[in-house]
Structures are given as structure tokens and as C-alpha cells.
């Protein structure tokens, strides 16, 4: 190591030593001192260039240097190049990680040992109203002040996530928050919006509670009669006959409920695609009318209004069930003598099936909830007429499987019109052969 810097000193000394016998001691020492001074000047000049360069390090301003400094500067230049390469590789990797973090569907916040924000992704910004630039180095508990969140952060055990309900404008958002400690004392705060899952879970819970409730009533009735029959000391054929009749009514009710539940579950199954077949709607209308007459027992005037002779592409079984539910509702919610129209029209290419009644009608506030499972406006009327509360839920499912939707117009005391509006693509354009007799005439 010492070799290189010493070479010029040794050379200078050798020259002086050579001069000594030739030119005398004074000249040799003078020349030696001059050469050493020149050497010191050379080093000082290069050293000052080095200091100057260190003030603002850049590859371009690196001096060339002279003598042994030339090598030092070129070594520095190599070092600088390698450093720049490592830096750009690191920043590319960091950029990739940041982009991945930003693209994550979950909120990600990096916290330091004092729970100060180091970085957060756009999802976390949106979930908590943060700004990754503005809020950097801010204490997270100053920005998210929810007491449950503050407790969670302070309790120190993070095996279980925290479920937080946050009110936003007019909705409630449910967040699942998990703190993941890493490194020596850094933390990663992950947040998932589970509002959708929470709603599904609530719906599932409500559904189970509703089904249990619906089944409990008939079961209690059947149980009660069975108990009475068991406790009878003397056989009473007349009472027994009556009880059996009432029990059979309740079992029919349970059966209907189970059937509707199975229909709904079949409709909801993703493994059960819609069967695409030709549905002869005018013929279906005639069948529906016959069924309605049977259900009504002649208490209503039921007419078919088929303005179109075209059919639909879809599942016969599902459409029959959906249309049948609408017709049966019209019969059940229309007082005796009322007219009921079962219609099929194509308006500007849009196929519409409708059922119009002049029955009890529905208050406007109930309309948005009518297709919810077990939602009933008139509970006692629904039950007394054998309703399960699932009819319109089935209709909604069937229609959505056919890309159709349900429109309801209703006025309390005046009646209702339930229309199934299909997309034009579902219309089966082939004209059906004209029937000899109109459907209503055929049934009269
Ligand atoms: P339900 O088995 O109780 O009839 P639905 O899902 O078929 O169940 O209907 C939901 C509710 O909508 C009914 O309970 C009833 O209150 C109301 N409803 C349905 N159709 C009619 C109608 N045509 N007229 C008046 N109310 C109706």
C-alpha cells in the first residue's frame, strides 16, 4: 500500500543523492527541498479538487487527477458507477413493490415503531380518508380516532383481526383490520372492506331465523292437535276428523314452504344455467288462466289479453313458475268479483308479460322491498291464502336469470299491475300459428 505514494519521494531523494557528489551538498539539498515542495503542491492541488468534488458528488464533475491521483479518481469513478447501478436496481425494486402495494385491493399502511405512518396505498387513503404525502410521519391514532381501533393497536396481541363498523354518509361500512408486526418493531396495518360479506352473513342469519319461524307455527299447531288427540279419554270421531283436517292444512303449508325454498335454492345455484328452449307464451297464458280459474274457484273474472303471438326463448318451467306466482298473487289479493287480466304484449320490440288486478293494492313504501324473501305487506292475508312470502323472490330470480326485470305499479284500494319486462333478444320472432279459438273462449 505504501509503495505507490512513496515512489515519487524515493525518486526525488535518489535524484538529490545523485546531485550531492556532482554539485555539492547545498545544491543537492536545495533541489531536494524544491522537488519535495513541488510534490506537496501536486498533492494539495489534487486534494483540493477532491474536496471540491465531494461538495457536489456527480460522475460528470469527477476530476481526472494527475500522477497517482489519476488512479484514485478513476477508482472513485468505478465505485460511483457501481453505486449508481445498485441504486437504480434498488429503486426499480422499490417502485415495483410500491406499485404492487398500490394495486392491492386491501388497504395497506406501514407504521414505524411509534405507530407513525410511513407509507399507505390508495385503498387505505380511500378507506380512512388519508393522504400518503400529507399524513406521512403522523401518529395513526391521531387520524383514526375510533376507540376500538385505538384499543386494538395498544393491546399488543394481533392474532385476531378487528371488525370495525364505520358510519359513512348514509351507509355503514364494515372493515376487517389486521395488524402484522414485522422486522424489529415495524408494523403493517391491513384493512379489508367486508361490508358485502357482512351483509350476506346478516341475510343468511335472517333467512335461517325466518325459515325457522315459518316452520315453527305449523309445527306448533300440529303438535298441539296431536297432544289433544293423545290426551282424549273417550274417542271423539268428529273432533278427530276436524283435527286431522287442520293438521293436514298445516302440513300442506310446510310442504309449500319447502318446495318454494328448494325452487329458490335451485334458481340461486350457479351450476344450474337457464335452459334455453322455445316458450310458447300465448299457450302458457291459456294454461295460467285455467290454473287461476281453479284457484279462484269462480270468484274472479279472469281474462287473457295476448296482443302478440310471438314466444320467448328461456326456461318453460321457470317462466311458468314465475308467471304462475304473479297470477296466484292477483287471485289471492283481489276481492271476490274483481277482474284479473293476464297479458302479453310486445311494445317497440320489448316483450312484456303482465298481470293486472283491481285488488287491495300496495302502499308505495312497500314496493322496493316486495321481492325480499318473506316480506309481506298483509301478513294475515298472505298466510290465510296459503302464501309462503317467497313468491315474488322466486319471480325476481327467474326474471334476472332471463335478463328481465319486474316493474310494479300499484295503488292502495285500486289494484296492481306486475310486469315482467324482457330484453328484445329474448323474443322468439317466429310467428306462432293463429289459434282457431281465443284462449279465454276455449275455457268458458
Ligand atoms: P306471499 O306468499 O305472501 O304472497 P309474495 O312474495 O308472493 O308472498 O308477495 C309478497 C307480498 O306482496 C305479499 O305478502 C303481499 O302483501 C304483496 N302482494 C303481492 N302481490 C300482490 C297483489 N297482486 N296485490 C296486492 N299485494 C300483493
Amino acid at each position: 500500500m505504501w509503495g505507490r505514494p512513496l515512489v515519487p519521494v524515493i525518486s526525488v531523494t535518489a535524484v538529490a543523492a545523485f546531485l550531492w557528489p556532482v554539485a555539492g551538498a547545498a545544491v543537492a539539498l536545495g533541489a531536494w527541498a524544491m522537488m519535495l515542495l513541488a510534490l506537496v503542491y501536486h498533492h494539495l492541488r489534487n486534494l483540493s479538487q477532491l474536496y471540491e468534488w465531494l461538495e457536489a458528488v456527480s460522475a460528470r464533475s469527477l476530476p481526472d487527477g494527475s500522477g497517482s491521483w489519476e488512479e484514485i479518481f478513476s477508482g472513485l469513478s468505478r465505485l460511483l458507477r457501481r453505486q449508481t447501478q445498485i441504486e437504480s436496481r434498488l429503486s426499480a425494486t422499490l417502485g415495483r413493490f410500491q406499485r404492487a402495494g398500490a394495486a392491492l385491493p386491501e388497504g395497506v399502511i406501514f407504521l414505524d415503531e411509534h405507530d407513525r405512518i410511513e407509507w399507505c396505498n390508495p385503498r387505505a387513503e380511500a378507506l380512512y380518508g388519508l393522504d400518503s404525502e400529507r399524513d406521512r410521519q403522523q401518529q395513526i391514532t391521531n387520524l383514526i380516532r375510533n376507540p376500538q381501533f385505538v384499543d386494538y393497536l395498544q393491546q399488543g396481541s394481533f392474532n385476531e383481526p378487528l371488525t370495525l363498523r364505520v358510519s359513512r354518509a348514509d351507509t355503514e361500512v364494515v372493515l376487517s383490520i389486521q395488524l402484522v408486526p414485522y422486522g424489529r418493531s415495524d408494523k403493517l396495518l391491513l384493512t379489508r372492506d367486508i361490508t358485502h360479506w357482512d351483509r350476506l352473513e346478516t341475510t343468511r342469519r335472517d333467512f335461517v331465523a325466518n325459515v325457522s319461524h315459518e316452520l315453527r307455527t305449523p309445527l306448533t299447531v300440529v303438535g298441539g292437535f296431536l297432544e289433544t288427540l293423545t290426551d282424549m279419554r273417550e274417542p271423539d270421531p268428529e273432533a278427530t276428523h276436524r283435527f286431522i283436517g287442520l293438521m293436514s292444512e298445516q302440513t300442506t303449508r310446510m310442504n309449500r314452504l319447502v318446495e318454494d325454498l328448494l325452487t329458490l335454492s335451485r334458481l340461486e345455484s350457479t351450476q344450474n344455467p337457464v335452459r334455453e328452449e322455445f316458450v310458447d307464451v300465448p299457450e302458457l297464458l291459456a294454461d295460467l288462466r285455467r290454473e287461476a280459474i281453479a284457484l279462484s274457484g269462480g270468484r274472479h273474472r279472469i281474462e287473457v289479453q295476448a296482443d302478440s303471438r310471438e314466444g320467448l326463448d328461456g326456461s318453460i318451467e321457470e317462466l311458468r313458475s314465475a308467471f304462475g306466482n304473479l297470477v296466484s298473487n292477483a287471485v289471492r289479493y283481489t276481492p271476490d268479483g274483481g277482474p284479473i287480466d293476464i297479458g302479453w304484449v310486445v311494445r317497440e320490440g320489448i316483450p312484456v308479460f303482465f298481470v293486472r288486478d283491481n285488488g287491495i293494492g300496495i302502499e308505495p313504501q312497500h314496493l322496493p322491498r316486495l321481492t325480499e324473501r318473506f316480506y309481506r305487506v298483509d301478513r294475515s292475508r298472505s298466510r290465510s291464502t296459503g302464501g309462503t312470502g317467497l313468491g315474488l323472490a322466486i319471480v325476481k330470480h327467474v326474471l334476472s336469470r332471463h335478463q328481465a326485470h319486474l316493474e310494479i305499479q300499484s295503488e292502495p284500494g285500486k289494484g296492481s299491475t306486475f310486469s315482467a319486462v324482457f330484453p328484445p333478444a329474448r323474443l322468439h320472432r317466429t310467428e306462432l300459428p293463429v289459434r282457431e279459438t281465443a284462449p279465454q273462449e276455449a275455457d268458458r
Side-chain angles (χ1 to χ4, degrees):
M1 283 294 115
W2 279 97
R4 305 271 336 222
L6 280 181
V7 168
V9 179
I10 292 168
S11 312
V12 165
T13 311
V15 171
F18 176 74
L19 276 179
W20 192 301
V22 181
V27 174
L29 284 175
W32 191 54
M34 289 299 286
M35 282 187 286
L36 279 182
L37 265 178
L39 209 60
V40 168
Y41 170 75
H42 163 253
H43 282 306
L44 283 177
R45 208 169 66 92
N46 279 290
L47 208 57
S48 89
Q49 279 180 346
L50 178 64
Y51 273 122
E52 207 174 297
W53 176 75
L54 283 173
E55 293 280 297
V57 177
S58 93
R60 244 189 292 142
S61 62
L62 190 71
D64 294 334
S66 51
S68 55
W69 285 91
E70 213 173 305
E71 221 170 297
I72 293 173
F73 283 128
S74 78
L76 269 176
S77 164
R78 273 196 306 279
L79 209 68
L80 205 64
R81 230 176 303 132
R82 211 171 321 136
Q83 183 72 18
T84 316
Q85 275 169 2
I86 293 173
E87 253 174 35
S88 72
R89 257 206 309 271
L90 274 178
S91 81
T93 312
L94 191 67
R96 225 178 19 246
F97 273 116
Q98 282 197 338
R99 280 196 300 280
L104 278 177
E106 297 184 350
V108 181
I109 305 176
F110 285 102
L111 299 176
D112 68 8
E113 55 186 319
H114 302 297
D115 294 339
R116 284 180 306 217
I117 299 175
E118 287 195 326
W119 181 83
C120 68
N121 71 348
R123 186 78 187 115
E125 288 183 320
L127 285 171
Y128 294 111
L130 299 175
D131 182 316
S132 71
E133 288 302 319
R134 188 195 59 208
D135 297 328
R136 182 163 293 158
Q137 290 303 312
Q138 289 284 331
Q139 195 78 26
I140 186 97
T141 44
N142 285 345
L143 301 169
I144 307 171
R145 290 167 177 271
N146 186 296
Q148 263 179 289
F149 176 77
V150 176
D151 286 351
Y152 175 71
L153 223 58
Q154 283 165 359
Q155 46 126 21
S157 145
F158 307 112
N159 294 336
E160 289 297 316
L162 164 75
T163 304
L164 205 63
R165 289 174 188 280
V166 191
S167 296
R168 294 268 162 79
D170 51 352
T171 54
E172 189 190 58
V173 180
V174 187
L175 303 176
S176 170
I177 299 170
Q178 174 89 59
L179 199 105
V180 186
Y182 72 97
R184 255 192 284 152
S185 47
D186 294 312
K187 297 155 200 154
L188 190 64
L189 190 75
L190 298 172
T191 309
R192 227 159 25 111
D193 184 347
I194 55 162
T195 315
H196 178 67
W197 301 113
D198 186 74
R199 247 178 238 151
L200 278 183
E201 179 56 20
T202 311
T203 312
R204 192 193 62 78
R205 258 201 316 267
D206 289 353
F207 182 65
V208 172
N210 274 324
V211 172
S212 318
H213 177 76
E214 294 288 332
L215 285 172
R216 193 178 300 128
T217 318
L219 277 173
T220 312
V221 175
V222 172
F225 284 136
L226 284 173
E227 214 171 290
T228 316
L229 284 173
T230 320
D231 292 347
M232 259 184 195
R233 291 220 189 97
E234 301 276 310
D236 180 346
E238 202 187 309
T240 308
H241 186 72
R242 208 177 62 249
F243 289 168
I244 289 175
L246 290 169
M247 283 193 287
S248 137
E249 242 175 55
Q250 296 303 322
T251 48
T252 310
R253 183 172 153 188
M254 285 191 275
N255 226 347
R256 246 196 317 258
L257 181 66
V258 172
E259 260 172 39
D260 278 359
L261 286 172
L262 286 175
T263 307
L264 260 184
S265 116
R266 261 198 310 276
L267 291 172
E268 279 176 355
S269 161
T270 44
Q271 272 129 36
N272 177 25
V274 179
R275 276 180 62 175
E276 296 295 342
E277 47 201 349
F278 167 62
V279 185
D280 182 342
V281 181
E283 188 184 296
L284 184 58
L285 256 55
D287 289 350
L288 288 170
R289 181 171 178 269
R290 268 192 292 275
E291 284 163 22
I293 289 171
L295 185 69
S296 149
R299 288 175 291 119
H300 303 91
R301 266 190 301 118
I302 301 163
E303 308 269 320
V304 164
Q305 189 191 318
D307 290 355
S308 167
R309 304 219 43 78
E310 286 159 311
L312 274 176
D313 286 321
S315 156
I316 299 179
E317 190 195 330
E318 288 182 23
L319 291 175
R320 178 186 286 274
S321 150
F323 295 171
N325 268 311
L326 294 179
V327 173
S328 116
N329 278 354
V331 172
R332 290 166 43 234
Y333 298 106
T334 302
D336 292 357
I340 293 169
D341 292 325
I342 307 172
W344 171 235
V345 287
V346 179
R347 287 188 210 119
E348 292 165 9
I350 299 173
V352 181
F353 167 88
F354 66 89
V355 180
R356 187 168 45 222
D357 64 57
N358 77 343
I360 59 174
I362 305 156
E363 303 266 354
Q365 71 270 24
H366 296 292
L367 295 181
R369 299 196 57 191
L370 276 195
T371 54
E372 283 176 25
R373 298 153 176 195
F374 300 112
Y375 189 85
R376 294 166 166 120
V377 180
D378 187 339
R379 222 154 248 284
S380 61
R381 185 160 188 152
S382 160
R383 291 229 168 85
S384 65
T385 54
T388 58
L390 295 174
L392 290 182
I394 292 175
V395 173
K396 182 183 157 190
H397 264 88
V398 170
L399 294 188
S400 91
R401 279 163 65 85
H402 288 78
Q403 300 77 46
H405 66 273
L406 184 67
E407 284 178 7
I408 310 170
Q409 284 152 347
S410 191
E411 226 181 293
K414 293 221 166 125
S416 322
T417 304
F418 286 76
S419 308
V421 184
F422 289 85
R426 285 248 163 228
L427 194 66
H428 194 98
R429 290 266 167 210
T430 336
E431 286 266 313
L432 300 166
V434 180
R435 281 204 185 79
E436 300 276 304
T437 337
Q440 55 260 51
E441 260 100 63
D443 291 311
R444 269 185 190 149

